[in-house]
Amino acid sequence: MKTIKKEIELKGYTIVKKLFSKNEIKDIFSSYEKNIDYCIKLIKGKKNIDNLDKKYLFLKKKNKLLKSRSYDLSKFHPSIYNFALNKKLDKILKNYFKEEFFLDLPQIRIDDNKNSFILPPHQEIYGQISQNIITLWAPLSNVSKKKGTMGLIEGSHKEGIKRHHFYSINKKKYHGVDKKIIKNAKFKYLNLSPGDAVLFHPLLIHSSRKNISNKIRWTFVARYNGISGINYLKSLSSPLRIKQKVK
């Protein structure tokens, strides 16, 4: 456990192999597939689609709004919280924080080869609840350079908060590190299997690599916020989330 904390402090992240079991991953997929099945039934769609990837892409094609709403609801399914509060993970987090911490924004991330939500390189501090935060990124399917994966600049967390700007993606604004800052930076791309997990520091500069395969990349993301870094409790004028100080 001490090694995990030291590695995050040194490199900005740690990789925990086989943190999640096959059954836990199966429960995540099962709950989401039932969600998609119900939505396909609502639009009187095909009944013989044989896997989740195809079902998701079918719903996305036939009714993009319903697909988005089914995804929104997936964040509230009990399987999501069971996964995010895995016993082994809970033990790691308690050892890391040594104080009360709060779960925020647990969710599945779905990336097909349209790569509609590939975010610019950024730090995980703006928009969060606590300055003392650890983010979990866990593949539910194999990830690689071809299928898309997490890219990071090892050790970048030691350089403090970087200047960010807003970038427009699909008519929405997302913050990202000033491109000049990372112009010559070397990104490390991770090859991981289902059940593996990355825990990383909020100031680690990271991004997603595009999925250029014909399969969906499924990942799970959650944030854990230490109570000592929550200004919302210390100042009555502070908002719940850290304001995005970007241009």
Side-chain angles (χ1 to χ4, degrees), residues 2-245:
K2 289 182 179 179
T3 304
I4 288 175
K5 188 175 180 69
K6 284 183 178 179
E7 193 166 23
I8 292 174
E9 291 173 351
L10 178 65
K11 296 165 55 180
Y13 72 100
T14 189
I15 295 172
V16 184
K17 290 288 189 177
K18 298 181 180 179
L19 180 60
F20 300 101
S21 70
K22 290 181 180 179
N23 283 336
E24 287 173 315
I25 295 172
K26 184 179 178 181
D27 286 345
I28 287 280
F29 280 133
S30 177
S31 69
Y32 193 62
E33 187 163 15
K34 289 174 183 175
N35 180 342
I36 292 290
D37 285 341
Y38 180 79
C39 291
I40 290 175
K41 186 178 179 181
L42 287 178
I43 61 171
K44 297 182 171 65
K46 298 178 181 178
K47 295 182 180 180
N48 59 346
I49 306 174
D50 60 4
N51 67 59
L52 179 55
D53 279 26
K54 290 179 181 178
K55 290 176 181 180
Y56 172 82
L57 293 172
F58 174 81
L59 184 60
K60 180 181 179 181
K61 181 179 179 181
K62 294 297 182 179
N63 195 318
K64 198 170 183 178
L65 177 59
L66 186 57
K67 181 272 302 179
S68 297
R69 291 188 174 188
S70 74
Y71 176 75
D72 290 342
L73 281 176
S74 74
K75 300 173 187 178
F76 302 99
H77 195 276
S79 64
I80 293 289
Y81 290 88
N82 291 338
F83 199 87
L85 297 171
N86 163 295
K87 287 184 179 180
K88 289 188 286 186
L89 176 58
D90 186 55
K91 188 175 180 179
I92 290 170
L93 293 169
K94 284 178 178 175
N95 186 268
Y96 182 90
F97 286 112
K98 296 190 182 304
E99 64 176 5
E100 288 301 304
F101 60 89
F102 300 88
L103 171 64
D104 186 35
L105 301 174
Q107 58 192 287
I108 300 170
R109 175 165 170 154
I110 306 166
D111 292 280
D112 58 33
N113 56 19
K114 298 296 183 183
N115 294 296
S116 303
F117 296 100
I118 296 296
L119 304 182
H122 59 283
Q123 295 172 309
E124 205 80 5
I125 191 70
Y126 297 128
Q128 308 306 324
I129 294 174
S130 175
Q131 293 176 324
N132 183 20
I133 179 179
I134 285 293
T135 300
L136 166 76
W137 187 88
L140 302 175
S141 56
N142 289 312
V143 295
S144 63
K145 278 190 173 183
K146 183 177 181 180
K147 294 180 180 178
T149 186
M150 180 178 178
L152 54 87
I153 303 176
E154 193 169 300
S156 57
H157 66 297
K158 295 179 180 179
E159 299 175 7
I161 298 176
K162 296 296 185 181
R163 183 171 65 252
H164 284 63
H165 297 295
F166 275 125
Y167 296 95
S168 182
I169 300 173
N170 292 324
K171 299 180 181 179
K172 292 184 179 180
K173 289 185 176 181
Y174 297 94
H175 70 266
V177 175
D178 188 320
K179 292 180 180 179
K180 294 178 182 177
I181 296 173
I182 57 172
K183 185 177 180 182
N184 298 312
K186 184 178 180 181
F187 278 82
K188 179 177 182 178
Y189 294 99
L190 307 178
N191 292 316
L192 299 171
S193 301
D196 296 342
V198 183
L199 293 167
F200 63 92
H201 191 281
L203 299 186
L204 182 75
I205 297 174
H206 62 285
S207 65
S208 293
R209 186 178 176 90
K210 288 184 177 180
N211 179 4
I212 58 173
S213 74
N214 59 1
K215 293 184 177 181
I216 291 175
R217 183 182 81 221
W218 299 86
T219 49
F220 183 89
V221 181
R223 287 113 182 147
Y224 304 89
N225 298 265
I227 195 169
S228 64
I230 301 177
N231 289 331
Y232 185 66
L233 298 177
K234 300 174 183 178
S235 170
L236 295 180
S237 62
S238 175
L240 173 61
R241 298 187 180 275
I242 298 169
K243 188 176 180 181
Q244 300 185 26
K245 297 177 181 179

